[in-house]
Amino acid sequence: MPERIPLREYETVAVSPAQTQNMKRGAALLDSQLRPSIQQFRTDGQSVSFGNVVGSFSLPNGDVIQVAPKIAAGDWTTAIVHLLSEDTRLAVTGSQQSRPSARRDDLTAALALEYARRLERAIRQDGPMQVYERRHETGRRWRGRLDVTEWARRSALDPARFPMGFDELSVVNDFTRGLSVVAGLLGRSAAGSETASRLRRLQNEVIPGSPIPSFVNRSISRRRMPTQWAAYAPAWDIAAPILRSQSVVGDPGRATGLEVAVEPWRMLETYLERALHALVASEDGVYVQPKLTYPLLSELKPASAPAVAGFPKSVEPDGLLIDDDGHAVATFEAKYSNRPKREHVFQALATAAALASPLAVLLYPWREEPRVLDVAGFHSSPSTLVAVGVGLFEYRRGRSDRKLAATIGELLRPIG
């Protein structure tokens, strides 16, 4: 019988050779969906570990790997759900595993509950989403623009039948189909009958008066929610990443439920990005610079000297604040680690030096007050290094953004 295998990030566990091969194949599927920049699966032939991934995913034999964050936290699944955006990459796999009761360490169950809340709130606030859809029909009553070519081809047989195209407000559109399909998928993954029944009801409510869709064009996951339906954007932040999973959404009728996994280090960058935008919304004279690459080193060599492939000569800060004159105010590096490392310090200082920034900031996922250090030897660029533990797995959207923004704002004042 398939089983759920609980693990913690980067902790090794001894497994049989057959299970090692099974996990290796499951890790390959995970890799194809998340396309991680940091290796996620490691094995020495006798033991295995998974890192840079939290949540759950299915193995080829039906077992489910469930990975908790390396930093112990209580309700970490809610933090991950709040950090999702429509651009988040999720690994979504089908599952035959049941979830008889709610568990705080089940990311898929938390996702199902939060999706139900967001979709209910949007329907209650704005009603069903109606979008103009282009429709085509043939009839004797005029109600659109005539398709002259088609009419000319068939007019000899029946000139009073008109092929027409027209735009019509309708609740049957790709957005509502997508929201309904995801409600059905998550309903089969929900922990507890109450959440499951809410999601089954929402399948109908989001597209009232029409049959429940069993398929949706995956391309809709790349489209932005229309601005007039901003109330649905939070639900779409969950739906869009799930709809990008061809293996599950391409034929949703076959899967009993879903397993969902995500790269946590990207969540730390999302946290930083939101906090910086919250800061500039309340502070004058400081702006967020989009992520770019900046030169750190340049070649000084004879033309005949061979180039060293892959030699690092540039930096790309995870976050950058500038002033009215375009000068760097602070650079930020987000490090998903369970302890500070020498290379983190060197990278933060080198990046700040390349941009002539007076302040370099390191962000870590655990909870810790800012540690402020004076920097020697860089001639005030940078003059200060700050390490901040942001409590990644305690995150709540809005409240946590404002709190980190206030912390960063306090760090900037002595510099300014």
Side-chain angles (χ1 to χ4, degrees):
M1 177 181 292
E3 61 176 326
R4 300 186 78 86
I5 304 172
L7 301 175
R8 187 171 292 278
E9 273 190 291
Y10 295 106
E11 286 188 359
T12 59
V13 58
V15 297
S16 67
Q19 190 67 300
T20 298
Q21 292 302 313
N22 194 39
M23 290 183 178
K24 186 179 294 186
R25 290 194 294 271
L29 176 60
L30 189 70
D31 185 86
S32 69
Q33 293 194 55
L34 288 180
R35 303 190 300 279
S37 55
I38 302 173
Q39 183 180 355
Q40 294 181 313
F41 177 71
R42 293 176 175 83
T43 181
D44 60 7
Q46 297 179 327
S47 61
V48 299
S49 68
F50 286 91
N52 186 36
V53 61
V54 295
S56 58
F57 56 94
S58 299
L59 300 180
N61 70 346
D63 289 348
V64 173
I65 299 292
Q66 189 156 331
V67 187
K70 60 184 176 182
I71 298 167
D75 190 11
W76 63 267
T77 56
T78 299
I80 293 296
V81 170
H82 280 227
L83 283 160
L84 292 179
S85 71
E86 64 180 29
D87 298 321
T88 303
R89 285 206 298 264
L90 297 178
V92 182
T93 51
S95 171
Q96 303 300 319
Q97 293 278 326
S98 62
R99 292 177 168 82
S101 61
R103 300 203 312 272
R104 293 168 65 88
D105 61 347
D106 190 332
L107 179 58
T108 310
L111 202 67
L113 178 58
E114 182 64 17
Y115 184 72
R117 289 171 178 163
R118 295 183 185 189
L119 194 53
E120 278 180 339
R121 190 181 307 122
I123 295 173
R124 186 167 58 248
Q125 178 178 326
D126 284 1
M129 182 192 306
Q130 297 185 72
V131 177
Y132 274 107
E133 292 276 296
R134 188 68 175 174
R135 300 189 179 279
H136 300 274
E137 69 175 35
T138 300
R140 299 185 184 279
R141 194 174 74 176
W142 199 277
R143 54 175 302 189
R145 173 175 289 187
L146 178 67
D147 184 340
V148 176
T149 302
E150 183 67 18
W151 178 80
R153 184 182 298 121
R154 302 187 179 191
S155 60
L157 298 174
D158 189 349
R161 289 182 62 83
F162 305 108
M164 292 164 290
F166 57 94
D167 293 327
E168 182 179 69
L169 269 176
S170 173
V171 295
V172 183
N173 55 74
D174 283 340
F175 285 105
T176 54
R177 290 189 194 98
L179 291 166
S180 180
V181 165
V182 171
L185 288 167
L186 290 176
R188 294 191 287 273
S189 309
S193 58
E194 181 181 349
T195 302
S197 64
R198 286 171 68 185
L199 286 163
R200 285 194 295 270
R201 172 173 50 80
L202 288 167
Q203 273 187 282
N204 288 286
E205 289 187 2
V206 77
I207 191 166
S210 300
I212 295 176
S214 60
F215 173 80
V216 65
N217 190 336
R218 288 176 59 244
S219 65
I220 190 63
S221 65
R222 302 293 179 184
R223 289 170 57 187
R224 298 285 180 182
M225 182 64 64
T227 55
Q228 67 267 33
W229 295 111
Y232 282 86
W236 193 245
D237 285 346
I238 294 175
I242 292 176
L243 290 171
R244 285 197 286 272
S245 176
Q246 182 176 10
S247 60
V248 174
V249 179
D251 188 6
R254 294 187 180 180
T256 298
L258 300 180
E259 303 295 341
V260 178
V262 66
E263 276 188 286
W265 80 262
R266 295 185 184 275
M267 305 283 97
L268 188 57
E269 288 195 352
T270 299
Y271 191 171
L272 170 61
E273 180 182 359
R274 291 179 182 175
L276 293 181
H277 281 94
L279 173 67
V280 301
S282 60
E283 294 274 347
D284 294 330
V286 63
Y287 310 93
V288 178
Q289 181 76 353
K291 289 188 71 171
L292 297 170
T293 300
Y294 300 89
L296 176 65
L297 302 171
S298 57
E299 296 279 358
L300 293 175
K301 62 178 181 59
S304 59
V308 180
F311 194 89
K313 295 184 291 185
S314 60
V315 295
E316 183 180 353
D318 293 327
L320 172 61
L321 292 176
I322 60 174
D323 60 19
D324 287 314
D325 297 322
H327 298 144
V329 173
T331 57
F332 299 83
E333 297 294 334
K335 296 299 178 185
Y336 184 70
S337 174
N338 54 8
R339 62 182 178 86
K341 297 180 181 179
R342 287 171 60 87
E343 55 264 33
H344 299 167
V345 174
F346 297 156
Q347 180 182 352
L349 295 178
T351 300
L355 279 79
S357 172
L359 176 62
V361 181
L362 279 167
L363 278 84
Y364 289 106
W366 61 82
R367 170 67 63 191
E368 186 180 17
E369 292 300 312
R371 180 177 298 178
V372 183
L373 304 104
D374 287 331
V375 177
F378 281 85
H379 305 288
S380 299
S381 297
S383 62
T384 307
L385 173 71
V386 179
V388 183
V390 299
L392 177 66
F393 296 108
E394 304 165 24
Y395 178 88
R396 297 297 182 269
R397 187 161 193 168
R399 183 181 70 199
S400 298
D401 302 330
R402 292 188 295 271
K403 184 175 181 180
L404 181 55
T407 298
I408 295 172
E410 289 298 319
L411 297 174
L412 295 180
R413 288 185 180 89
I415 305 300

